[in-house]
Amino acid sequence: MRKFVVNVLLFGILCIISIYIVLKMTDGYSDAYYLRFTTPKQSNFIIGTSKAAQGMNPAVINKILHKELYNYSFDISKSPFGPAYLKSIQRKLSKEKKDGIFIVTVDCWSIYSKCKNPNDIASFGENSSSVGEIEQVDQNPNFQYLTKYMSGNYYKIIFKPTVAQLHENGWLEVSLDMDSTSVARRTKNTLVEYKNLLSLYQFSQVRLDYLVDTIDFLNQYGHVYLVRLPVSPKLMDIENQLSPNFSSLMQLPAEKSYGFLDLTSKNKLFRYTDGVHLSKRSGTLVSEEIAHWIKNSERDTDTKHHKQQ
């Protein structure tokens, strides 16, 4: 009997060790969000939804700014502006330095709500998402995430999808066929989805206020730059229908920041995988443009500061 119990214990220990080893194999191919909750706390951020997650490559920006920006963007269901996203940002931020660079990307979807009362915080969908519920955002392995948000998808740890890869710096690299037929098909389907959202989304003053609160918080640790990323002209039409006064809504956030760069005037210059998200090549070009804009802004700020002294 004693030998049986010992064998059972040994078997159990081996099973636990095996499971631990498999879970440690979770990487950027296994899940599109997991690594954001396992990497260390960061001093420089890219903030936003999936437009920023896919369209802004920190590696490109870091070479120009000589900083280590981290892409802490998710998607419109997880990271619209609100208390959940702000708390997650606060948890992820390393508060040791005060010279950070923070790129906060904005669009109408991140200040609108898809609920009956757009200002009812208790009804915000992201509250029950990983962004709203994960408290340890720099734990590796992150068992809270693995048990709750990877459940049913553990096979992806071994049999890894290859379309999307979340890099250690937070950039979500999506590799799709970019031939005209594939792009047209994806764009058509995606735009139908966004048109259907027009009747569901409503402006949220609370979310706009939390955008301002997010900027105020990050300003304590560096310089915040506001950016509106380019989108396809057809999606721009949809966004204009949803929020025709978006530019005026950005007046206060822009005043709180160190600058606001609206790239939607250049929508036609870039390519998109589905009408919403920048292609990898276009994402590189946009990342470079934003980085040079910030570099020039930082230089002007330093010059002005020295003159005042």
Side-chain angles (χ1 to χ4, degrees):
M1 182 65 180
R2 183 179 177 183
K3 185 177 181 181
F4 174 76
V5 172
V6 170
N7 287 336
V8 169
L9 288 174
L10 288 173
F11 179 76
I13 292 171
L14 287 173
C15 287
I16 292 172
I17 292 173
S18 298
I19 292 171
Y20 179 81
I21 292 173
V22 170
L23 293 179
K24 281 287 287 183
M25 294 169 59
T26 308
D27 60 13
Y29 287 107
S30 308
D31 183 85
Y33 308 103
Y34 176 66
L35 293 185
R36 296 201 181 98
F37 299 108
T38 65
T39 45
K41 292 187 177 183
Q42 305 291 324
S43 300
N44 310 275
F45 281 140
I46 297 166
I47 300 298
T49 60
S50 60
K51 290 178 185 175
Q54 296 182 36
M56 296 192 64
N57 188 342
V60 174
I61 296 171
N62 294 342
K63 286 182 181 178
I64 297 169
L65 295 182
H66 304 294
K67 288 278 190 178
E68 292 296 324
L69 269 78
Y70 185 85
N71 197 325
Y72 201 58
S73 308
F74 293 84
D75 59 47
I76 60 172
S77 69
K78 295 177 181 63
S79 55
F81 295 106
Y85 194 24
L86 177 54
K87 286 179 183 177
S88 192
I89 291 168
Q90 290 169 336
R91 291 170 182 145
K92 192 70 175 180
L93 180 68
S94 172
K95 302 175 178 65
E96 297 177 355
K97 298 179 180 180
K98 304 286 186 177
D99 61 347
I101 295 292
F102 306 104
I103 303 173
V104 177
T105 64
V106 293
D107 62 25
C108 50
W109 311 102
S110 59
I111 57 169
Y112 277 57
S113 292
K114 192 175 69 170
C115 51
K116 188 174 182 180
N117 180 351
N119 295 306
D120 180 14
I121 292 176
S123 299
F124 286 179
E126 70 271 17
N127 294 341
S128 56
S129 74
S130 55
V131 171
E133 295 186 338
I134 299 294
E135 295 184 1
Q136 298 296 326
V137 296
D138 58 342
Q139 187 178 78
N140 188 20
N142 194 314
F143 290 109
Q144 183 184 6
Y145 189 98
L146 289 169
T147 54
K148 185 164 186 177
Y149 296 100
M150 281 289 290
S151 179
N153 292 306
Y154 294 127
Y155 68 94
K156 292 182 179 179
I157 298 175
I158 305 297
F159 305 101
K160 302 179 187 297
T162 58
V163 171
Q165 178 191 5
L166 182 63
H167 290 257
E168 288 284 338
N169 62 15
W171 176 47
L172 182 61
E173 179 181 4
V174 177
S175 301
L176 295 169
D177 292 332
M178 288 302 294
D179 62 275
S180 58
T181 301
S182 298
V183 172
R185 183 186 69 252
R186 288 193 300 267
T187 300
K188 180 181 179 181
N189 294 335
T190 302
L191 291 179
V192 168
E193 293 177 8
Y194 273 80
K195 284 180 181 178
N196 292 335
L197 294 178
L198 282 173
S199 61
L200 302 176
Y201 271 78
Q202 302 177 72
F203 169 67
S204 170
Q205 182 62 49
V206 168
R207 291 201 185 280
L208 180 60
D209 291 342
Y210 265 96
L211 166 59
V212 173
D213 290 344
T214 300
I215 294 171
D216 285 340
F217 168 73
L218 292 174
N219 269 332
Q220 300 175 68
Y221 301 94
H223 295 171
V224 176
Y225 291 92
L226 216 61
V227 173
R228 188 179 189 185
L229 292 170
V231 294
S232 70
K234 289 185 178 180
L235 179 63
M236 191 73 203
D237 290 340
I238 295 172
E239 293 191 352
N240 285 337
Q241 289 180 57
L242 179 67
S243 185
N245 63 332
F246 181 79
S247 295
S248 62
L249 292 175
M250 288 300 105
Q251 184 175 346
L252 179 58
E255 290 173 357
K256 292 272 187 174
S257 72
Y258 276 74
F260 179 28
L261 179 63
D262 187 345
L263 291 171
T264 56
S265 63
K266 299 182 178 182
N267 286 341
K268 294 180 180 179
L269 300 180
F270 302 106
R271 295 193 71 196
Y272 309 88
T273 59
D274 56 3
V276 178
H277 304 99
L278 290 159
S279 68
K280 284 193 283 187
R281 175 58 182 160
S282 288
T284 296
L285 295 173
V286 167
S287 297
E288 289 175 343
E289 181 168 351
I290 292 170
H292 283 298
W293 169 67
I294 292 174
K295 186 175 182 178
N296 292 334
S297 297
E298 289 286 291
R299 185 185 297 118
D300 292 343
T301 299
D302 290 340
T303 301
K304 183 177 180 181
H305 176 71
H306 288 310
K307 286 182 177 179
Q308 289 176 341
Q309 288 182 328

